[in-house]
Amino acid sequence: MIDAHLDPTRKHDYVFLIDVKDGNPNGDPDAGGMPRTDPITGQGLITDVALKRKIRNTVTLIHQGKPGFEMYVEEGVALNPQIQRAYTEGGAKEGETGTAQEWMIRNFWDVRLFGAVMSVGDQKKHAGRARGPMQLTFSRSIDPITPLDAGITRVAPNKPEDLAKGKVTEMGNKHYVPYGLYRGHGFYSGALGAKAEVTPEDLAAYWQALTMMFDHDRASSRGEMALRGLYVFSHDDAYGRAPAHKLFDLIRVEPLEHSEARSWDEYADRISINGDKVPTGVTLTRLIH
């Protein structure tokens, strides 16, 4: 029997908790790379795009070279040549958009899971659009965060002539959050998963990547980041037995109501899970807790 959270024919809704210590979880290029924040509430934000990039990278690292686990959206790789492969390698003929799309879905893991726009470039040889069964929200910090800026120096200038002028150090800055606990939500449609022919192995790769993505994405700018909780509500059919928001309400994190938190320990005892109220036809699996 397939574990509930690995069954691609079911609907899955999930809650995840991410924390950061002395790092920048998701810089905002419109704000000079400062940590993203809600200007009204002061809560920190991490975009879904940032997390999907880490998930893709981790799946590639673990399943590199395995058929069906290539990535359509890959750093440093143009999209149009990826689409054209459906015609040069996949055997699609000009105008056979459906055939090209099937090849893309079959070969690219991220197209199967996240969907993709593949109607760019050659309008006679494209692969249309695929709706992805797996989607994520922005992650929002439980309490307001305190973005800080640390001045740093570098002792190796870029230009030799700077050394000749006696310029041996350069100043810079480093943006970081002392501590923040972020909550995000995700959704998987069993109906769309069946259409994309998502497999249990595909879902296993997703959950594994979600839990391990920070361990393989270390950088000085990101400090210490970890997935602190992952709670998956698996319905017993493709369409769901209860609205996702009602299930999410069963996982509660009591706010501190200030921005002075500095460690996970300050939240660890403030998480409550109303497992007794999980509706009939829904299974709760705690992958990280």
Side-chain angles (χ1 to χ4, degrees), residues 210-248:
L210 189 60
T211 57
M212 297 179 62
M213 59 185 174
F214 298 121
D215 289 316
H216 298 280
D217 188 57
R218 300 295 183 189
S220 62
S221 63
R222 283 187 279 281
E224 295 181 59
M225 295 188 68
L227 190 76
R228 291 292 188 173
L230 177 54
Y231 312 91
V232 184
F233 294 94
S234 301
H235 305 251
D236 63 3
D237 70 357
Y239 302 100
R241 296 296 184 183
H245 70 275
K246 289 187 176 295
L247 299 177
F248 296 155

Side-chain angles (χ1 to χ4, degrees), residues 132-288:
M134 186 73 78
Q135 299 301 330
L136 300 169
T137 66
F138 277 28
S139 302
R140 177 178 288 267
S141 67
I142 304 301
D143 288 295
I145 61 170
T146 307
L148 297 177
D149 192 9
I152 57 175
T153 59
R154 185 173 66 172
V155 297
N158 289 331
K159 302 175 183 178
E161 51 266 36
D162 288 339
L163 288 174
K165 295 176 183 178
K167 185 179 180 181
V168 296
T169 61
E170 292 184 355
M171 297 297 296
N173 54 20
K174 190 172 184 177
H175 309 300
Y176 69 100
V177 175
Y179 185 80
L181 179 65
Y182 295 70
R183 172 176 176 150
H185 297 155
F187 316 87
Y188 173 85
S189 167
L192 292 176
K195 186 176 180 181
E197 297 186 0
V198 173
T199 68
E201 186 179 17
D202 289 331
L203 276 185
Y206 180 80
W207 301 127
Q208 182 183 27
L210 189 60
T211 57
M212 297 179 62
M213 59 185 174
F214 298 121
D215 289 316
H216 298 280
D217 188 57
R218 300 295 183 189
S220 62
S221 63
R222 283 187 279 281
E224 295 181 59
M225 295 188 68
L227 190 76
R228 291 292 188 173
L230 177 54
Y231 312 91
V232 184
F233 294 94
S234 301
H235 305 251
D236 63 3
D237 70 357
Y239 302 100
R241 296 296 184 183
H245 70 275
K246 289 187 176 295
L247 299 177
F248 296 155
D249 286 345
L250 301 179
I251 309 293
R252 293 190 173 274
V253 183
E254 184 182 353
L256 298 169
E257 298 184 350
H258 60 71
S259 60
E260 299 171 8
R262 290 298 183 269
S263 75
W264 162 250
D265 292 340
E266 296 177 62
Y267 284 103
D269 295 332
R270 304 175 76 88
I271 300 171
S272 61
I273 304 165
N274 293 322
D276 294 339
K277 295 184 179 180
V278 175
T280 301
V282 178
T283 302
L284 171 59
T285 304
R286 305 178 194 181
L287 296 182
I288 296 286

